[in-house]
Structure formats: structure tokens, C-alpha cells
Amino acid sequence: MNTGTATTDGQTQSLAKGAIGTALLHIERAHTGTGDWPTAHARVRDAASAPIIATSDACLYFGAPALAFLLHAAEADGVPRYATARTRIDTAVTALAHRRLDRAHARIDRAEPAAFAEYDLLHGLTGIGAHLLHHDPDDDALGRVLAYLVRLTEPLHVDGHKLPGWWVHHDPQRGASGPFRGGHANLGLAHGITGPLALLAQALRRQIEVDGQHEAIDTICTWLDRWRHPGEAGAWWPQWIRFDGRTDQTGPLRPSWCYGTPGLARAQQLAAIATGNTARQRMAETALADCLADPNQLARVHEPGLCHGWAGLYQTATRAASDALTPAISTHLPFLLDQLTQEKDDTEGFLDGHAGTALTLDTAERGAPPVTEWDACLLIN
């Protein structure tokens, strides 16, 4: 296995936009009988045709971890279809996780702010941890990821200012725009602190615990409580907080998986279930149900995809409904599915393309959780 960078391979080894997402769709269909294994195998070969990227920018959505996620999905029924290749790639992912963890702890030791690429779901250690939790939970790398996320919740002191430990030095687009001078704290599931919260909670639900895990969950939830706003259409949270401790957001924006109430509510619901906090669970579920009942928020959804569109909204709500204390969320699922079926998506890709919407529609049609747990990479199950 070549673990060097290959400049032409980024699209091929991208779960978000490339061949891995397409292969994941065909693997799920092969498992459920709506597709066939020869087609799935061909798609896997396409995804693995280039040298495997396991450099420092490899993550759940790119390179070796993305391919490992795919190969484990292919063996969800216990048949070792790619055992040799999977074992080699798993070894590379574990080594990558340890290298990235060492760098992350060194950064904290220097009392420097983080970046999305260090900790978030799409590019960082939370995403790698999500893969390990579902596919290699006994690996000591998972324990180190969880311990790192616990440490991430400790306050960061920069130039006399006390900041949340997950504070990032850049703006939400990973640039250096004026309004975000000094960086920001992000609340979203894809890039913000609710990603780590969801991973810590899901690990705890599976009886996987490290020192300080309960306290870290409580720290994040308490911080989210601080930024929860009441509204006529229910509670909502801003997307991010600036260095001056303010947000320009005056109300709920687009209800999506990556930002907005759906992802935030699901993460807090998971945390509440993991810690036995019924009051918090009811708060999170009520916030999501109220969001889904608000035509003004739903009118902001203009695309079918998982990241920003109807597919992500439906799948997140479906997973939340399956754990909910009441049927309030479930009552909105038919409408969300109807909106999704009216959309057409011919673009390639998982997060914003056909593969993600097709997986969502196939799962909805079966009326059962996906065999591959493909939505594990969204941290909603």
C-alpha cells in the first residue's frame, strides 16, 4: 500500500464527493438485494484504484479512513470480502489516528487555538473516532480519541482570554475574515462542538468510557444551554460565536444536518440518553419537533442532499424519532420524505449528491435501518 499523496486521487478517495460515496450506495443495495455484488465490487475497485492516501489530511471523508469505512460496510453481514486489504488499511488508519492525536495534544500543550481539521467530524479526529467506534471499538486509538475530546472541553487561555477548548483560530470558512478576527466557536455537527458531543455520547451508550467523559458531556451541554434561544417556533441555537462573545444571528436559519436545529438537537438527544437526563432529552426532541413544524424554517431548504438538504433532514429526524419519548418527531417524517422524493439529484457524491439522497430514499423505502449503517459517518446513529 502506497500511503503517499497522489494529486489526482482526491476525488476518487473522497467519501463526500467521489467514488467512495458511490460505492457505498451500491454496497448497501447489494446487502439488501436491490443491487448485486458484481456491481458493488466494481465500484469498490474504482474507489481503491489509486495509491491509498494516509497522509496528515486523511480523514473520515478522505483517504484511508474513508476507504476503511467503505470496506467495513461491505462486510456488514460478516462475510470477509476484503479482509486482507481491510486489515492493511485499518493498520494505516490506526497509525494515522495516533499521529494526529500526538499533534493535537502538542497543540493544546502550547495553549494555541484549534482548527476544524484537528477535531471536527468531516476533517478531524471526531470523524476518525466515529469510524473506530462503529468498526473497531476495541482499538486503543478510540480510547485516545475520546480522551482527547475530553481534554478539548477544558478551557483555553489565550492572551488573557478564557475561551472554550474547541475554539478555532479561523472563521467558519477556514479563512481570516475581519468579523471573525480572533476566531470563533462553532456549534454545528459537521464542524462544531456537537460533533464531539455526539461521539462522546454514542460511545457512552455502548459502555465505552474514559476518565472525564461524563464531565465533558456536561460541559458541552451546559455551554449549548447558554446559547439556546427561545422562539415563537421553538428553541434554536446560533451557528457560531465570535471572539466578542456575540452572534449576529437573530433567529433560526436553514434546518439542516450540518448546522441548525436538527443536528444540534440530535446530538443533545444522544447525550441525554447516554446520561439518563430525561429533561434534556425532552428539550432536544421538542426543539426538533418544533423545527419540523415551522414552515418558515422548512422553506429555507432548497436542495435534496444530506449536508444541507431534505435527505439529511429526513435521516436525522428518522434516527431521532427512533429514540424519542413521544411520536412528535415521527409525525413529520411523511412530509419530509415527500419533499425529498420531489427533488431530482444527478450530481455525483455522498454529502451533496445522488449517492446520499439515493441511500436515504432506499432506507426509507425498506422501512428499516441501513444494513451498512452508512449514516454512522453523519454521527446520528
Side-chain angles (χ1 to χ4, degrees):
M1 178 175 61
N2 185 337
T3 57
T5 300
T7 57
T8 61
D9 303 334
Q11 191 77 354
T12 300
Q13 292 182 33
S14 169
L15 171 59
K17 300 180 179 180
I20 290 179
T22 302
L24 185 60
L25 168 63
H26 288 280
I27 285 172
E28 176 70 22
R29 286 177 171 175
H31 277 304
T32 61
T34 58
D36 59 81
W37 280 111
T39 300
H41 290 320
R43 296 296 186 176
V44 172
R45 285 195 297 270
D46 290 342
S49 60
I52 307 304
I53 299 172
T55 48
S56 60
D57 56 345
C59 55
L60 176 58
Y61 279 81
F62 174 72
L67 190 56
F69 185 85
L70 177 70
L71 297 186
H72 279 275
E75 299 181 352
D77 58 354
V79 178
R81 296 179 175 87
Y82 303 102
T84 301
R86 174 182 47 75
T87 299
R88 293 172 66 195
I89 296 172
D90 283 346
T91 299
V93 170
T94 298
L96 169 68
H98 285 297
R99 292 197 307 271
R100 294 193 61 167
L101 284 160
D102 290 342
R103 287 196 299 272
H105 283 294
R107 189 272 306 167
I108 296 175
D109 290 342
R110 297 192 301 271
E112 296 174 356
F116 286 163
E118 178 185 292
Y119 78 82
D120 77 7
L121 171 60
L122 294 191
H123 304 101
L125 285 161
T126 295
I128 293 174
H131 163 67
L132 293 171
L133 176 64
H134 282 268
H135 299 128
D136 204 357
D138 295 327
D139 194 309
D140 64 343
L142 175 59
R144 284 198 69 199
V145 170
L146 297 175
Y148 154 74
L149 293 179
V150 169
R151 193 179 182 198
L152 190 71
T153 66
E154 297 173 0
L156 182 68
H157 297 273
V158 178
D159 297 330
H161 296 276
K162 182 180 178 182
L163 303 171
W166 54 90
W167 191 270
V168 295
H169 62 78
H170 49 70
D171 66 20
Q173 286 71 46
R174 292 180 285 178
S177 58
F180 291 92
R181 186 175 292 107
H184 78 288
N186 197 289
L187 284 76
L189 186 56
H191 294 301
I193 192 56
T194 45
L197 175 64
L199 180 58
L200 290 166
Q202 290 190 40
L204 193 60
R205 287 187 79 182
R206 292 164 171 81
Q207 288 79 52
I208 299 174
E209 184 177 354
V210 298
D211 290 344
Q213 193 162 331
H214 278 271
E215 292 80 2
I217 290 172
D218 183 67
T219 294
I220 298 170
C221 288
T222 299
W223 189 80
L224 292 174
D225 287 344
R226 174 185 173 188
W227 294 106
R228 185 175 71 242
H229 295 270
E232 293 182 2
W236 61 274
W237 292 262
Q239 294 180 322
W240 44 66
I241 307 300
R242 298 191 314 244
F243 191 75
D244 60 7
R246 300 175 63 185
T247 175
D248 294 328
Q249 193 172 326
T250 58
L253 300 180
R254 177 176 54 196
S256 61
W257 161 78
C258 60
Y259 280 107
T261 300
L264 277 152
R266 176 55 173 163
Q268 291 177 85
Q269 179 196 36
L270 288 167
I273 294 170
T275 58
N277 188 332
T278 305
R280 181 172 297 280
Q281 184 177 353
R282 290 188 183 280
M283 178 278 296
E285 293 170 5
T286 298
L288 179 53
D290 289 344
C291 168
L292 299 178
D294 182 13
N296 293 323
Q297 291 185 67
L298 296 180
R300 296 176 179 269
V301 183
H302 300 296
E303 58 191 273
L306 283 170
C307 192
H308 308 107
W310 293 108
L313 186 55
Y314 176 82
Q315 194 65 20
T316 303
T318 297
R319 286 295 190 176
S322 68
D323 286 326
L325 297 169
T326 74
I329 298 171
S330 298
T331 59
H332 300 286
L333 295 179
F335 174 80
L336 299 180
L337 183 58
D338 181 64
Q339 294 300 117
L340 176 58
T341 57
Q342 294 181 34
E343 298 279 357
K344 185 178 181 180
D345 193 347
D346 296 324
T347 59
E348 184 179 13
F350 174 77
L351 274 185
D352 294 311
H354 169 73
T357 56
L359 279 163
T360 305
L361 287 168
D362 287 357
T363 302
E365 184 175 350
R366 287 184 63 243
V371 175
T372 60
E373 293 192 314
W374 61 261
D375 56 351
C377 65
L378 302 177
L379 264 181
I380 55 176
N381 77 297

